[in-house]
Amino acid sequence: MHPMGPNFSADCTSRSWRWQTQKPSTKSNMRTWHIVHDISAHIRHSVLSTTFYSPSHDLPRPIASSDASTSFEFSKDSAPSIVRRLYLTNNPPTQASYRVHNPHIGLLSPLSRRPGSGFLRGSSTYNAILARSTSLISSLTSNLANPFFTSLKERSRLTSPVAAALSTDALLYSPSVVGLRRDDADHFELMDDDFVGELDAIPADPTTKELEVPPAVNAQNQRAMGEFVAPYFMNVLSAAPILVDALRSASYTSSEIELDCLLRRTLKARVARVLRLFASRGDSTLVLGTFGYEEGAPIAMVAEIYAELLACSINPGDVTDGEFRNVFQRVIFTVPTKLLSVFRKTFEMRIYEDELIRSLEGS
């Protein structure tokens, strides 16, 4: 069985990926296949356009919009669910021709090791859900991505445990990644969302009996259960998070305050670098997760850093503060339910503090 499911085929030589419905033929033990969405050109484009940015690559500072402000949203939905809703809302599926294009939707993906392990075993981590729902794995396992993982390995082998835990500033940009599955919790519906029901609403793991009937009448298609859906697109930026737990173990001689300062400074610089790359590539809508939290970064610190970079005023004492204020049209934070309230309150409180300080300074 192919890891993407029995209804998904991939020619690894040509990277001609497609999902299909299966229909019995008149001959015994033979079946014919109907191709619903041929996404081979899209995945080939995404793979061949994958771009590595070395740690020393100088990214330009962005230019803010003078007539519009960034809107912020907070969601407990998964990143693929959010991207799919954004894409279908802005690109009605009645326009059925799927040309290779830039969706201008940027998605941040934390990546600290070689991909391909957790998602095949049913892991529910951020990266595993993304790998199962999109064609990203094809880009990450291409030769063009090798320098990024080489940079990760070189950092992990440094003699200084602290430097190794801080990982690399290298970035990997995978444009026009194809979304092809609906996440289990994705209940977003749009008229004709999945096009022709008898062909497009394909169950993720149909039984042999289910393949005997048109997919549209399968019980699994009546609810969101990870089935294949009409293609949606996103630009994925992979960046290495700081391995905070390893950093704390390696910095036993440092005080807690010194360690937090180092962590905050490094994390903020890396997030700023990520945002510069998104801006330089023309992504106007961003989907950002709790970058670094799964590796041990305090959720309040992550929220404050995002607020300072994206929404606070310019601060002469820290050149990155306010650098991305009104640079992007829309930013959506995908945050686990248990952290959503804390993240949002911390983000909004940091902005309020900034506005209060500015008003006092101006009075």
Side-chain angles (χ1 to χ4, degrees):
M1 180 182 294
H2 190 274
M4 298 300 289
N7 277 349
F8 190 90
S9 70
D11 179 345
C12 294
T13 302
S14 63
R15 293 193 179 275
S16 179
W17 294 45
R18 57 186 68 86
W19 61 90
Q20 311 161 323
T21 53
Q22 191 177 43
K23 296 182 179 180
S25 72
T26 56
K27 297 181 181 180
S28 60
N29 300 323
M30 293 184 62
R31 293 181 183 273
T32 58
W33 296 83
H34 176 82
I35 299 176
V36 181
H37 298 292
D38 188 343
I39 56 175
S40 58
H42 306 83
I43 297 182
R44 192 157 43 244
H45 166 75
S46 181
V47 170
L48 295 177
S49 301
T50 298
T51 307
F52 168 70
Y53 294 84
S54 70
S56 60
H57 188 101
D58 188 24
L59 295 167
R61 294 178 68 86
I63 300 176
S65 172
S66 57
D67 56 358
S69 59
T70 303
S71 66
F72 297 102
E73 300 172 35
F74 306 83
S75 175
K76 60 180 174 53
D77 295 331
S78 69
S81 298
I82 296 172
V83 171
R84 180 170 171 270
R85 184 183 75 241
L86 288 169
Y87 183 83
L88 291 177
T89 301
N90 297 327
N91 299 270
T94 51
Q95 302 171 358
S97 59
Y98 281 93
R99 62 188 185 280
V100 175
H101 68 294
N102 182 357
H104 300 294
I105 300 173
L107 173 64
L108 174 57
S109 172
L111 193 59
S112 58
R113 59 181 62 86
R114 193 76 188 180
S117 56
F119 83 99
L120 293 178
R121 297 195 300 269
S123 172
S124 59
T125 63
Y126 184 99
N127 282 339
I129 292 174
L130 193 59
R132 282 195 298 269
S133 303
T134 73
S135 67
L136 178 62
I137 197 70
S138 186
S139 171
L140 298 182
T141 55
S142 69
N143 291 334
L144 291 171
N146 284 341
F148 178 81
F149 296 102
T150 298
S151 183
L152 280 177
K153 290 179 181 178
E154 290 175 348
R155 294 292 300 187
S156 66
R157 294 170 181 169
L158 292 177
T159 55
S160 168
V162 172
L166 295 177
S167 197
T168 179
D169 281 328
L171 302 174
L172 188 69
Y173 191 85
S174 305
S176 300
V177 169
V178 186
L180 44 88
R181 282 188 190 272
R182 186 203 306 267
D183 183 44
D184 287 356
D186 181 0
H187 299 284
F188 177 73
E189 295 293 341
L190 200 65
M191 186 175 295
D192 294 330
D193 175 11
D194 292 317
F195 288 81
V196 183
E198 291 189 359
L199 298 179
D200 289 17
I202 305 172
D205 296 298
T207 63
T208 301
K209 183 177 180 180
E210 286 178 318
L211 288 173
E212 301 296 330
V213 294
V217 302
N218 294 340
Q220 191 172 5
N221 293 331
Q222 305 308 315
R223 60 188 184 279
M225 290 280 292
E227 74 269 20
F228 294 118
V229 292
Y232 55 101
F233 301 88
M234 69 207 80
N235 302 317
V236 180
L237 196 164
S238 299
I242 298 168
L243 307 178
V244 182
D245 293 335
L247 179 64
R248 294 191 186 283
S249 299
S251 305
Y252 58 89
T253 57
S254 302
S255 68
E256 195 69 23
I257 295 178
E258 291 174 330
L259 183 59
D260 282 346
C261 287
L262 173 62
L263 171 59
R264 199 179 201 285
R265 184 170 62 251
T266 307
L267 180 58
K268 190 172 184 178
R270 189 156 304 161
V271 173
R273 186 168 167 78
V274 164
L275 296 176
R276 286 189 199 109
L277 181 52
F278 274 134
S280 68
R281 296 294 299 239
D283 293 318
S284 55
T285 298
L286 302 186
V287 178
L288 306 174
T290 53
F291 185 72
Y293 172 76
E294 289 186 350
E295 290 73 23
I299 190 64
M301 180 184 294
V302 176
E304 287 179 350
I305 287 173
Y306 275 135
E308 290 166 4
L309 294 173
L310 289 162
C312 287
S313 304
I314 296 175
N315 179 8
D318 188 335
V319 294
T320 59
D321 280 1
E323 180 179 347
F324 305 93
R325 182 182 173 95
N326 299 333
V327 169
F328 305 101
Q329 294 179 5
R330 190 176 182 184
V331 175
I332 303 176
F333 296 103
T334 169
V335 185
T337 304
K338 64 180 181 180
L339 303 172
L340 186 59
S341 177
V342 173
F343 184 94
R344 180 168 189 164
K345 288 179 179 178
T346 304
F347 183 91
E348 293 175 342
M349 181 57 68
R350 183 66 188 88
I351 298 175
Y352 173 76
E353 290 174 354
D354 176 74
E355 292 175 345
L356 181 61
I357 292 172
R358 300 301 169 187
S359 64
L360 291 175
E361 289 178 346
S363 59

